């Protein structure tokens, strides 16, 4: 009986270890598939050189991939005094709103640490200061604010907004958002560079034409 009991214990332990290994494999495959899908979506965004189109596609992708209710993308000014909501999805008439940065603890932390901020209770979060009041009509309950970091500086941020219900953002979601933000930063900088080159080219063509 003792031998049988020992064999049964070993079999149960092996079964447990197998189940754990199988679950870990499933989790790894899920994460790999999610990352691959997100990278494909990011490549679609990078295929455009029109800044407005890139920003809107970013918000739409964020909403659809992460199952958020709304997303807004804010570009910061060079002195980090304020940002402007340059795009959103779906449309809730927030585009053009000015978001204060200086004197807002949550925004200052984002600028300092360059890491996403997950806020579970948006309505009670005092570190959001005036930002909470500016966006009060959206009925946001939870938010994940993700920094968009370029080669040399912080460009802005995009958000995943949970409206009418609170949401815990998982570590996997936060990690994927950071990867996505890296691709968005590349797309924004490429679009800005293209716009600068286009303006320079048009200026030179104008000078040449006027000299003929």
């Amino acid at each position: 009986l003792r031998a049988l009991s020992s064999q049964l214990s070993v079999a149960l332990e092996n079964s447990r270890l197998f189940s754990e290994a199988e679950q870990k494999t499933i989790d790894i495959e899920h994460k790999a598939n999610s990352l691959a899908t997100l990278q494909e979506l990011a490549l679609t965004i990078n295929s455009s050189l029109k800044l407005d189109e890139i920003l809107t596609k970013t918000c739409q992708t964020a909403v659809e991939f992460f199952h958020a209710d709304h997303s807004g993308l804010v570009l910061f000014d060079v002195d980090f005094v304020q940002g402007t909501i340059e795009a959103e999805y779906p449309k809730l008439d927030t585009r053009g709103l000015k978001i204060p940065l200086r004197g807002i603890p949550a925004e200052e932390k984002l600028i300092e640490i360059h890491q996403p901020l997950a806020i579970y209770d948006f309505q009670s979060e005092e570190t959001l200061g005036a930002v909470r009041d500016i966006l009060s009509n959206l009925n946001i309950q939870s938010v994940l604010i993700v920094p968009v970091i370029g080669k040399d500086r912080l460009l802005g941020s995009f958000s995943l907004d949970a409206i009418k219900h609170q949401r815990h953002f998982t570590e996997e979601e936060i990690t994927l958002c950071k990867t996505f933000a890296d691709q968005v930063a590349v797309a924004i900088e490429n679009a800005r560079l293209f716009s600068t080159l286009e303006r320079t080219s048009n200026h030179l063509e104008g000078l040449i034409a006027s000299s003929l």
Side-chain angles (χ1 to χ4, degrees):
L1 289 175
R2 287 182 180 177
L4 181 61
S5 176
S6 177
Q7 290 175 1
L8 182 59
S9 295
V10 171
L12 289 173
E13 178 65 12
N14 287 341
S15 177
R16 184 186 66 81
L17 292 174
F18 178 77
S19 295
E20 288 180 356
E22 190 175 39
Q23 186 58 51
K24 286 181 180 179
T25 300
I26 292 172
D27 290 342
I28 291 171
E29 288 178 349
H30 171 71
K31 290 179 180 179
N33 290 335
S34 295
L35 184 58
T37 300
L38 194 58
Q39 287 177 333
E40 287 178 7
L41 292 170
L43 287 174
T44 301
I45 292 172
N46 270 285
S47 66
S48 174
L49 288 172
K50 296 179 180 179
L51 186 58
D52 286 347
E53 187 176 308
I54 288 169
L55 302 182
T56 300
K57 280 186 176 181
T58 295
C59 293
Q60 182 175 354
T61 299
V63 166
E64 294 176 350
F65 184 84
F66 294 104
H67 306 292
D69 297 316
H70 178 264
S71 177
L73 196 149
V74 180
L75 293 183
F76 298 165
D77 64 19
V78 293
D79 298 318
F80 299 117
V81 174
Q82 68 176 13
T84 303
I85 299 179
E86 299 289 357
E88 64 169 340
Y89 184 87
K91 185 179 179 182
L92 295 178
D93 296 325
T94 65
R95 186 172 181 179
L97 287 179
K98 302 299 181 182
I99 303 298
L101 304 175
R102 192 170 294 173
I104 307 297
E107 299 288 0
E108 290 181 339
K109 182 178 180 180
L110 183 83
I111 293 168
E112 178 183 358
I113 68 174
H114 288 193
Q115 292 294 325
L117 298 180
I119 298 173
Y120 179 70
D121 190 352
F122 182 89
Q123 298 295 328
S124 301
E125 185 59 53
E126 294 184 357
T127 63
L128 289 167
V131 174
R132 186 180 57 186
D133 300 328
I134 292 170
L135 301 177
S136 61
N137 65 318
L138 298 183
N139 198 26
I140 295 173
Q141 299 302 309
S142 301
V143 64
L144 178 64
I145 306 172
V146 185
V148 178
I149 307 166
K151 289 181 180 179
D152 304 317
R153 65 185 301 274
L154 182 63
L155 304 176
S157 66
F158 71 85
S159 67
L160 299 183
D161 306 326
I163 297 175
K164 297 183 180 178
H165 61 90
Q166 292 180 321
R167 172 177 174 177
H168 283 292
F169 294 97
T170 67
E171 287 299 321
E172 181 184 350
E173 289 172 331
I174 293 172
T175 299
L176 287 171
C177 274
K178 290 168 67 175
T179 301
F180 181 55
D182 290 341
Q183 297 297 321
V184 171
V186 172
I188 290 173
E189 291 190 319
N190 286 344
R192 285 178 167 175
L193 177 60
F194 177 76
S195 180
T196 299
L197 292 174
E198 193 173 41
R199 286 197 302 271
T200 301
S201 177
N202 291 339
H203 177 66
L204 291 175
E205 287 179 0
L207 291 176
I208 293 172
S210 63
S211 65
L212 296 178

